[in-house]
Amino acid sequence: MTATVKLYLPQRILEPLNYPNGDSSVSLGTLEQISPASLTRTELVSLFESSTDEYVGFVDAPQLTQADLDQLLALDPGQLRAGVCLLPFSASEPLIQTYQTLPPQAAALAMNPLPHAGILIRKTDFLSLKHLPDSLDPLWQTLILLAKQKVPFQLIETETPLTVESNYLGSLPELAPSLPGPDRKWLLDLLRGYNPQQDLPSITSSADATALKAGLLCLHDYLDESHEYSQSVQSQGRHGAGDYWHHIMHRREPDYSNAKYWSRAVGYHPLHDELPTAVEPLFEQYAGLSHVASWKPKLVQNKRWLLNAFVDCCQECENSQDPELNAFARQVQWLEMLLLLQKTSHDAISS
């Protein structure tokens, strides 16, 4: 029997579009909320409990084209083989790499997929959670808990990705964050409880496994907790990932001189050779702004990324409060941390 899907989108997104609801395997439901991220725990549970479909899905988009909607309605449910299926938007390469490279629970903890992909969750797997704790992010929390329960995740990459323009840029981590508020306690509890030994297969470097936890905490602004783990594996690991996360943690405090000390402790890391290529699209995006473009020859020399130059860039962002430079640096930092998570995870299981 072919699976059926109930796909929910905000009513305001669907109003200008044509969406016949016939007898296809994919039917649409409308949300009064501005975004699926605004659903409360009670509302989310109710959608699953009342559903007669095998999968319940959500798409969060500031705008949706008719072609995108037609593609969603034409989804072949025969492709759905996992408890959680992600349909990446265009320009969602960081999400794809994260879910292809990191173990499932680390990937779910690293980034909320909702701004980057459509999400389909099998009803029976959702209901297996028994009790979903209350939080302001119940949908993301659900994905993390399902990954923790070893529910399989599946990326469904179509030949023509959804052209949804993601609105994630405003939610990127700050260069120098304040401590997250109590509304994020649910996430801190899951991060504290994360056990790399139960998530990573065949760990061969326990120091890098510990550094992975330090990285996840650092990514979400829990700098003191991250520091505890990164410091515990000082000068250890295949490429000193703990020292690299220690460097990023101090850069974000911000304690720039201490960050530079730890960049020297890192020495060479393979990421130094990969970041110039990863950041090149950002250099192209900001090429017309001389005060941003002027950082390129400082950050990249001999095709290698310079950690201390990026420390200087972050310090300049703090001093100048320039919005364009800050936006550039936050996007660079986001790529750096996601790629370092992937490298750290790989080092933990490499022979």
Side-chain angles (χ1 to χ4, degrees):
M1 178 181 291
T2 303
T4 58
V5 177
K6 185 75 167 186
L7 193 61
Y8 285 94
L9 294 93
Q11 175 65 38
R12 63 182 182 84
I13 300 300
L14 290 175
E15 282 178 350
L17 304 175
N18 298 316
Y19 52 101
N21 258 327
D23 296 325
S24 68
S25 297
V26 179
S27 61
L28 293 178
T30 58
L31 298 174
E32 296 180 359
Q33 292 83 356
I34 192 172
S35 160
S38 303
L39 287 165
T40 66
R41 178 195 62 177
T42 301
E43 291 166 341
L44 185 64
V45 171
S46 177
L47 290 178
F48 278 90
E49 289 181 339
S50 63
S51 176
T52 59
D53 297 279
E54 185 173 348
Y55 284 88
V56 177
F58 305 90
V59 175
D60 189 15
Q63 294 181 340
L64 195 71
T65 68
Q66 186 67 50
D68 284 328
L69 182 59
D70 293 342
Q71 186 175 338
L72 287 168
L73 292 173
L75 175 71
D76 177 10
Q79 300 177 80
L80 309 181
R81 299 183 300 275
V84 176
C85 301
L86 304 178
L87 287 71
F89 304 152
S90 58
S92 290
E93 189 61 30
L95 172 107
I96 294 171
Q97 288 184 356
T98 296
Y99 274 83
Q100 286 178 338
T101 309
L102 292 180
Q105 192 181 347
L109 282 166
M111 60 189 304
N112 183 355
L114 189 60
H116 309 272
I119 297 171
L120 307 177
I121 304 174
R122 190 156 44 202
K123 175 181 175 178
T124 53
D125 287 303
F126 179 89
L127 296 179
S128 73
L129 293 176
K130 303 300 183 184
H131 174 68
L132 181 65
D134 202 5
S135 80
L136 294 182
D137 296 281
L139 190 50
W140 183 19
Q141 182 183 31
T142 293
L143 297 176
I144 299 172
L145 293 173
L146 289 174
K148 187 176 182 179
Q149 287 191 177
K150 306 296 185 182
V151 171
F153 279 55
Q154 176 187 1
L155 283 171
I156 299 179
E157 297 183 67
T158 57
E159 185 175 341
T160 305
L162 296 170
T163 59
V164 176
E165 289 190 12
S166 176
N167 58 356
Y168 74 94
L169 292 179
S171 62
L172 291 182
E174 297 284 350
L175 298 176
S178 56
L179 185 68
D183 59 312
R184 294 271 301 277
K185 184 178 183 301
W186 69 269
L187 180 57
L188 177 58
D189 289 342
L190 286 170
L191 288 167
R192 283 174 170 166
Y194 175 66
N195 186 348
Q197 283 71 22
Q198 295 177 358
D199 194 28
L200 289 162
S202 306
I203 292 175
T204 57
S205 172
S206 60
D208 287 308
T210 298
L212 178 64
K213 185 164 183 172
L216 289 168
L217 286 159
C218 185
L219 182 72
H220 293 298
D221 304 341
Y222 294 104
L223 302 186
D224 289 343
E225 289 86 353
S226 175
H227 184 242
E228 177 183 342
Y229 286 98
S230 64
Q231 194 168 43
S232 73
V233 291
Q234 178 179 338
S235 303
Q236 300 176 47
R238 302 194 188 282
H239 295 104
D243 293 341
Y244 200 144
W245 286 113
H246 202 155
H247 156 79
I248 293 176
M249 185 281 301
H250 282 303
R251 190 184 72 209
R252 301 188 72 208
E253 276 185 309
D255 183 345
Y256 301 117
S257 61
N258 215 350
K260 288 186 175 183
Y261 170 85
W262 283 100
S263 71
R264 291 190 292 273
V266 172
Y268 169 76
H269 191 282
L271 199 57
H272 299 167
D273 292 327
E274 296 184 19
L275 271 173
T277 301
V279 174
E280 182 59 32
L282 289 175
F283 287 135
E284 295 174 1
Q285 177 184 338
Y286 287 91
L289 298 173
S290 60
H291 64 292
V292 178
S294 64
W295 280 95
K296 181 175 181 178
K298 303 174 188 176
L299 293 168
V300 179
Q301 294 181 11
N302 298 321
K303 299 183 180 180
R304 183 167 290 179
W305 187 259
L306 301 182
L307 289 186
N308 283 348
F310 190 54
V311 173
D312 293 336
C313 181
C314 294
Q315 187 169 15
E316 176 62 23
C317 288
E318 181 184 26
N319 293 336
S320 68
Q321 296 297 306
D322 180 86
E324 289 90 1
L325 184 60
N326 186 271
F328 165 79
R330 286 174 69 187
Q331 290 175 79
V332 170
Q333 175 180 257
W334 176 240
L335 287 173
E336 176 193 36
M337 291 197 291
L338 288 180
L339 289 173
L340 183 56
L341 278 178
Q342 294 166 33
K343 288 292 184 186
T344 305
S345 174
H346 181 268
D347 283 347
I349 60 175
S350 295
S351 59

